[in-house]
Amino acid sequence: MSRTLDIAPLRSLVAIADRGGFGRAASSLHLSQAAVSQHVRRLEASVGHALVTRAGRGSRFTVEGEQLLGHARRVLAAHDEALRCFGVGSDETLVVGSTEHAAAQLLPRFAAALGEALPHHGVQFRIDRGTALREGLAAGRVSLALLLGPTGDPRAIGVGDLELTWFAAAGWTLPAGPVPVVAFDAPCALRSRAIETLDGHGIPSVVGAEATNLAGVHAATAAGQGVALLATLGDTPAGLVPVEGLPRPRPMPLSIWAAADVPARVAGTACDALRPLLPGVPAAATHLSLAEGA
């Protein structure tokens, strides 16, 4: 019987080792866990040995599994290098995480720019809160994350600054007492910036309404529950108007965070694709990064 070691199952085996289990391997490869398990069974049928066994709630490689893992890494390295020699990259999928602020204004154009800049990579977007995206980066579920907020993290590549604008419902007026702020649930970089901006000018504030998503913030603001500080790239959300009479907030740094296994070339290319989409960012600016707590 002819036996072969196919590339896809070998890639699953390596992912299990690198990601620490079947579930994380499946997430990183954008496969179901059942598909990854099937890949392992195919390899076991080809070599005639068990490769991965259960160990409590996790799994561990057998001696034969460790042996095949070494071969798998060399086979995949040779396979991918052969494609690169012909100018073809392996068809990897980048999971680009984004908070809703970045998604609403940037993703349509960013998706098109990434398609041109990285034609041999598939792109899948994930919209989530900043904290969840950072967890996704650490767990291997997210390749790149577009986030708002200051950062000194080595995974973040600074892109530029986003201007922030106060918005409220038409006809809304500043109250005599504390200014009601409509914000995302904490932690949120924009929420913090709004309160800090008002406090810095001696203006008392109170969280008048909070929401878990951008639609909720828009709805509460349009209902007259207070003012919201938003990054809209110059657009005015439906049902809202810019507010005069409040202190101008400092722009919010924008960054792209890269997972540990994303090549620097890919992260840099993504930054180069994003830079021209940001108003006011000079063409000669260096690589970008997006980090938002919302």
Side-chain angles (χ1 to χ4, degrees):
M1 180 179 67
S2 176
R3 299 187 181 187
T4 60
L5 297 174
D6 294 329
I7 294 298
L10 290 176
R11 207 176 290 281
S12 288
L13 189 74
V14 170
I16 293 168
D18 291 345
R19 301 296 185 180
F22 283 76
R24 291 181 176 179
S27 295
S28 68
L29 295 171
H30 313 293
L31 299 172
S32 67
Q33 189 166 333
V36 171
S37 297
Q38 178 62 30
H39 282 172
V40 172
R41 288 195 292 270
R42 284 172 56 186
L43 292 175
E44 290 176 335
S46 294
V47 301
H49 292 279
L51 302 175
V52 184
T53 61
R54 293 284 182 184
R57 298 182 63 182
S59 56
R60 66 175 180 83
F61 279 76
T62 64
V63 173
E64 292 79 9
E66 292 286 356
Q67 184 179 8
L68 182 58
L69 180 63
H71 290 296
R73 294 188 188 280
R74 291 190 289 272
V75 169
L76 291 175
H79 171 273
D80 294 348
E81 179 60 27
L83 289 177
R84 286 192 292 270
C85 286
F86 291 95
V88 179
S90 57
D91 292 331
E92 300 175 2
T93 297
L94 292 175
V95 178
V96 179
S98 174
T99 56
E100 288 186 283
H101 287 286
Q105 304 299 329
L106 289 175
L107 285 199
R109 290 173 291 166
F110 187 41
L114 275 182
E116 294 181 3
L118 297 169
H120 300 301
H121 287 74
V123 178
Q124 176 185 355
F125 287 100
R126 179 181 181 85
I127 313 302
D128 213 330
R129 298 293 299 272
T131 51
L133 294 178
R134 291 183 182 88
E135 292 172 358
L137 285 168
R141 297 188 298 271
V142 176
S143 309
L144 301 170
L146 281 63
L147 301 165
L148 284 176
T151 177
D153 195 291
R155 295 173 296 172
I157 308 170
V159 178
D161 292 330
L162 289 182
E163 295 293 331
L164 305 179
T165 303
W166 295 103
F167 289 97
W172 185 88
T173 57
L174 287 170
V179 174
V181 175
V182 179
F184 281 94
D185 294 341
C188 171
L190 288 177
R191 177 189 179 122
S192 298
R193 179 60 54 85
I195 295 172
E196 291 167 0
T197 298
L198 295 173
D199 286 349
H201 289 78
I203 301 174
S205 64
V206 62
V207 176
E210 54 188 0
T212 59
N213 54 52
L214 186 59
V217 171
H218 283 179
T221 306
Q225 297 303 302
V227 293
L229 188 62
L230 302 172
T232 64
L233 276 70
D235 294 337
T236 298
L240 305 181
V241 296
V243 174
E244 303 292 339
L246 290 178
R248 184 176 181 179
R250 291 181 293 111
M252 186 71 72
L254 187 62
S255 310
I256 286 183
W257 290 47
D261 60 347
V262 173
R265 176 189 62 81
V266 172
T269 299
C271 291
D272 291 339
L274 180 59
R275 186 184 305 115
L277 307 181
L278 302 179
V281 177
T286 53
H287 296 321
L288 325 150
S289 119
L290 284 161
E292 177 190 355

